[in-house]
Amino acid sequence: MGDLGEFDSSFIQALEHRPKPNATEAQGIPLIDLSPISCHEDVETNSETDAASIEELVKQVGSACKNWGFFQVINHGVPLDRRQRIEAVAREFFAQSLEEKRRVKRDEVKIMGYYDREHTKNVRDWKEVFDFGVEDPTLVAASTDPDDDSVAYWTNQWPEYPPKFRETCEEYTRDVGKLIMKLMELIALSLGLQAKRFHEYFKDQTSTIRLNYYPPCPSPELALGVGRHRDNGVLTVLAQDEVGGLQVKRRTDGEWIGVKPTPGAFIINVGDIMQVWTNEAYRSAEHRVVVNSVKERLSIPFFLNPAHYTEVKPLEELIDEEHPPKYGPYVWGKFQVIRKRSNFIKLNVDNIQIDDFRIAP
Ligand code: OGA
Ligand code: NI
């Protein structure tokens, strides 16, 4: 984006979506201390004091998911240097010339890698990204056709520079991968389910990690780093640096609230699949990223996604006569392929979304 002269109109948001100059900073987004579980491999425990503190934690997670769909966690067990190391290699990678970065560029065939032309709701985002799969290769659906069940693989592309880029990313993936599954156990417990209820969906997970780089923007009042959206997977664990810019739409009044960076914390948000699984007990929250004219910003989301063949529908345990299903089933892999393709074809219609599977009341 450094190659832009005058401000490119493809980045300009419609008036009603432009950021306000003085956004409110969040007090409301819950901050949850994970120390009761951070020293255990999973959330099951033997001692009574542990049991009481875990029960309390489960309550906090449940109410954060219910009321916000967003929270931050501290004392999460991921060592600080893991995070500092991935941030350092990410900064070195993005500091290279466009030509260097484009050696690992993503296209219609190579889904993972570097990309600087992402659009959200058909407006270009002021950012550059580098994507890689948590499983390498990632087993995915080959076709969007419901009758075609052939499969394909996404393979990671790794740059030669900076050195240790790949192993640094892989170490981060391992540690945050453990954290995210512990969070899924807490969420399962908060819904009255067995702790490991969700594990079966992640055997062939299609999760990805993204390095988001937001360069300083000459017109931050017109553009967004990422336009308003909901994450379409299960759960997102995001590391953000100290600059700030992530905003969440508050449910009570529709106000955009800035998520103040908390050193060392991860931001957790509920995705659309969780919304469907829980039949809207937990809902995904709309969020976006504002940019600024002086500081670059880095963020690293881990998008937890199930196996491509997962049929997403409200969990049977949460459905009864009083709680009829609000969604019909859809196959995650088909949805995912449609979304990935839409990055390369400019659509004049709204992209596929979970609302398409909503059952009219
Ligand atoms: C995303 C996203 C937020 C951020 O990449 O989906 O919402 O703070 N990122 O970068
Ligand atoms: Ni997001």
Side-chain angles (χ1 to χ4, degrees):
M1 269 161 261
D3 59 340
L4 294 172
E6 67 190 58
F7 200 66
D8 182 331
S9 64
S10 63
F11 290 106
I12 298 178
Q13 296 283 333
L15 265 177
E16 68 271 30
H17 299 309
R18 291 184 196 166
K20 276 204 260 166
N22 303 307
T24 333
E25 282 238 309
Q27 279 313 316
I29 289 169
L31 182 67
I32 298 180
D33 183 342
L34 291 184
S35 33
I37 58 151
S38 52
C39 48
H40 297 280
E41 265 304 303
D42 55 44
V43 301
E44 264 142 31
T45 166
N46 303 316
S47 95
E48 266 175 41
T49 40
D50 275 6
S53 57
I54 289 174
E55 202 180 303
E56 174 53 33
L57 181 57
V58 165
K59 273 194 203 136
Q60 288 176 28
V61 168
S63 77
C65 288
K66 188 160 169 284
N67 300 326
W68 280 92
F70 251 90
F71 55 100
Q72 303 205 58
V73 295
I74 50 170
N75 297 321
H76 42 64
V78 177
L80 188 60
D81 71 311
R82 275 280 179 279
R83 181 152 157 183
Q84 288 167 335
R85 288 228 291 273
I86 195 170
E87 287 189 13
V89 293
R91 283 184 206 284
E92 273 184 85
F93 173 77
F94 287 113
Q96 297 177 100
S97 68
L98 213 48
E99 190 190 345
E100 286 298 323
K101 290 182 275 195
R102 285 194 177 148
R103 284 171 190 240
V104 287
K105 81 172 185 334
R106 178 175 117 189
D107 57 32
E108 291 92 328
V109 184
K110 288 181 264 173
I111 297 295
M112 300 300 166
Y114 173 77
Y115 199 55
D116 63 356
R117 272 154 209 279
E118 269 229 334
H119 290 68
T120 303
K121 305 205 169 25
N122 288 324
V123 182
R124 191 166 160 198
D125 294 330
W126 190 268
K127 70 174 182 195
E128 299 174 31
V129 303
F130 181 87
D131 288 332
F132 59 95
V134 165
E135 302 292 336
D136 190 24
T138 301
L139 175 67
V140 295
S143 161
T144 57
D145 177 354
D147 299 320
D148 179 352
D149 53 17
S150 56
V151 296
Y153 291 94
W154 291 344
T155 2
N156 288 342
Q157 297 197 74
W158 298 107
E160 273 168 35
Y161 183 87
K164 304 240 169 114
F165 184 90
R166 176 183 183 161
E167 62 184 87
T168 307
C169 290
E170 288 176 346
E171 281 167 2
Y172 183 83
T173 306
R174 261 196 306 280
D175 282 357
V176 178
K178 281 187 205 153
L179 169 64
I180 212 164
M181 291 317 290
K182 282 189 201 170
L183 289 163
M184 289 302 291
E185 295 186 17
L186 293 171
I187 290 173
L189 292 171
S190 77
L191 293 161
L193 306 168
Q194 296 286 326
K196 295 201 164 36
R197 172 64 177 88
F198 293 112
H199 281 43
E200 58 175 294
Y201 300 111
F202 301 105
K203 190 177 144 281
D204 294 311
Q205 65 178 309
T206 55
S207 306
T208 59
I209 294 185
R210 167 167 282 181
L211 310 176
N212 276 314
Y213 172 71
Y214 303 96
C217 175
S219 302
E221 70 289 355
L222 299 178
L224 289 169
V226 190
R228 80 211 138 88
H229 69 284
R230 297 181 159 86
D231 293 348
N232 54 41
V234 174
L235 196 71
T236 305
V237 171
L238 177 111
Q240 69 166 338
D241 68 12
E242 69 296 339
V243 174
L246 173 62
Q247 297 184 334
V248 185
K249 196 170 184 174
R250 186 162 55 196
R251 292 222 179 98
T252 46
D253 57 2
E255 195 70 32
W256 287 103
I257 306 290
V259 180
K260 197 172 170 202
T262 303
F266 284 106
I267 295 161
I268 317 298
N269 65 286
V270 166
D272 285 342
I273 294 179
M274 183 69 80
Q275 173 166 328
V276 174
W277 276 347
T278 63
N279 207 30
E280 294 190 351
Y282 298 165
R283 283 174 297 148
S284 59
E286 199 166 28
H287 55 284
R288 68 180 189 185
V289 173
V290 299
V291 283
N292 72 80
S293 59
V294 281
K295 284 187 187 152
E296 57 178 33
R297 173 173 182 262
L298 196 70
S299 77
I300 310 172
F302 182 129
F303 298 110
L304 181 70
N305 296 327
H308 77 86
Y309 45 77
T310 305
E311 187 181 65
V312 182
K313 58 181 183 196
L315 298 177
E316 265 153 39
E317 302 95 309
L318 305 177
I319 296 301
D320 56 32
E321 253 168 60
E322 275 147 62
H323 303 92
K326 293 183 172 163
Y327 295 89
Y330 64 95
V331 178
W332 163 247
K334 304 286 174 193
F335 185 100
Q336 190 181 32
V337 167
I338 294 172
R339 278 298 184 98
K340 288 284 176 202
R341 281 198 189 150
S342 72
N343 284 313
F344 298 97
I345 313 158
K346 202 152 154 62
L347 301 170
N348 287 320
V349 292
D350 267 357
N351 208 338
I352 185 172
Q353 50 195 335
I354 54 166
D355 283 349
D356 299 335
F357 306 100
R358 212 166 188 292
I359 296 168

